[in-house]
Amino acid sequence: MNIIKELKKENNKESRKIMLDDLGLIRNITDNMNEYLMNSYDKQIVKRDLIGMAQEMKLRGTTLRDELGDNVDEFTKEIIENSRGPSKLEIFLTTIKSSAITFIIIFGGMLLLSKNFDMSMSIYFPILVYLFLGIQSILEFIFVSAFNKEKNFKKYIPNVIRGLTFFIFFYYFIGNKIARGGPEVKIVCLVIIHLFIYAITYFAYNKHIENLAESSDDIVKDLIDKTK
């Protein structure tokens, strides 16, 4: 079972029962909780609890914004700090899974459009792409975590890093003879290999989320109780 998908579905359903102002507030809070600051399961649980609080406030004739007052930024910071933080395994599996599906779409599309299933390419090309993705993930983990909560121009630093690494990689490596030389591999084999990679990481990701769910804490409720 895809727990994250089910949580998102339930959150979307329950969010229709709260005030629009509170819905916007919850989105502002959870938008700051990307995978480099908080694991996906905790993020959905936080969103579920905030929606539940907003529903309760609505019954009382008030709003979640009134309950939190001017401490929204501090409250968001405390949620992130009191969560289990990011999951390195989740980030790794997500990166590999999304990379695999990208390979499948691009190379599968090439084969379908060309109708030539004997097409080959240098084995160094996919290796260099994975090297690039690995370096970019490490840089994002470092810089997104450091600058995500910035309010001024500093919050755009991760985007600059992404752009620079992307430009350097494709300018130097893709145009370099390294990516066009060496032994070749049939593209259809790459597609099949990445189908297996996607399947393995898909099930490993779901299992990891299940493990996170088994040991989760009620982050929002604990913080609210501490402030009372």
Side-chain angles (χ1 to χ4, degrees):
M1 181 179 70
N2 191 323
I3 296 177
I4 297 297
K5 185 177 180 180
E6 291 300 318
L7 281 171
K8 286 181 178 180
K9 182 178 178 181
E10 185 64 21
N11 284 340
N12 288 336
K13 177 183 175 182
E14 293 300 318
S15 65
R16 302 189 188 103
K17 303 176 184 178
I18 64 176
M19 305 288 286
L20 286 177
D21 189 40
D22 278 349
L23 180 59
L25 175 65
I26 292 171
R27 283 176 177 168
N28 288 339
I29 292 174
T30 55
D31 279 350
N32 291 320
M33 301 172 186
N34 59 54
E35 63 182 359
Y36 294 96
L37 292 175
M38 180 184 293
N39 68 76
S40 297
Y41 179 80
D42 284 356
K43 176 180 177 179
Q44 292 304 318
I45 292 299
V46 165
K47 188 173 183 179
R48 183 198 65 184
D49 291 347
L50 289 173
I51 291 171
M53 288 175 60
Q55 290 175 343
E56 185 179 339
M57 294 301 108
K58 185 178 179 181
L59 292 174
R60 295 180 185 178
T62 182
T63 66
L64 180 60
R65 188 178 292 277
D66 291 336
E67 177 76 13
L68 297 180
D70 298 326
N71 299 318
V72 175
D73 289 341
E74 187 63 29
F75 181 67
T76 303
K77 182 180 178 182
E78 287 183 1
I79 290 177
I80 294 172
E81 290 176 350
N82 283 274
S83 74
R84 290 174 290 183
S87 167
K88 296 181 180 65
L89 180 57
E90 179 192 356
I91 294 171
F92 172 76
L93 291 172
T94 300
T95 300
I96 298 299
K97 183 158 61 81
S98 60
S99 301
I101 196 65
T102 301
F103 266 86
I104 292 167
I105 292 171
I106 293 175
F107 295 132
M110 288 172 58
L111 293 175
L112 291 174
L113 290 174
S114 66
K115 297 180 181 179
N116 178 12
F117 289 88
D118 287 327
M119 287 180 66
S120 299
M121 68 165 48
S122 169
I123 189 64
Y124 294 139
F125 180 79
I127 291 174
L128 288 172
V129 171
Y130 270 106
L131 177 63
F132 162 72
L133 292 172
I135 293 172
Q136 191 174 54
S137 295
I138 293 171
L139 290 174
E140 286 199 14
F141 183 78
I142 295 170
F143 287 100
V144 173
S145 299
F147 294 98
N148 186 76
K149 289 176 279 189
E150 296 289 345
K151 296 296 183 181
N152 51 27
F153 70 93
K154 290 182 180 179
K155 69 180 181 179
Y156 298 108
I157 289 179
N159 292 330
V160 174
I161 299 297
R162 289 189 194 103
L164 285 174
T165 54
F166 185 85
F167 175 78
I168 291 170
F169 175 80
F170 281 95
Y171 178 81
Y172 180 76
F173 286 111
I174 299 303
N176 194 293
K177 62 181 181 181
I178 296 175
R180 299 193 300 269
E184 293 193 340
V185 61
K186 289 187 180 297
I187 294 179
V188 68
C189 292
L190 289 175
V191 172
I192 293 171
I193 289 169
H194 283 86
L195 281 170
F196 277 108
I197 292 173
Y198 178 80
I200 292 169
T201 51
Y202 176 84
F203 288 110
Y205 174 84
N206 287 344
K207 180 62 179 175
H208 177 59
I209 296 299
E210 289 176 9
N211 292 337
L212 288 174
E214 290 175 359
S215 59
S216 64
D217 296 319
D218 201 335
I219 305 166
V220 175
K221 185 176 183 302
D222 290 344
L223 284 175
I224 293 296
D225 290 342
K226 284 199 306 187
T227 60
K228 289 182 178 179

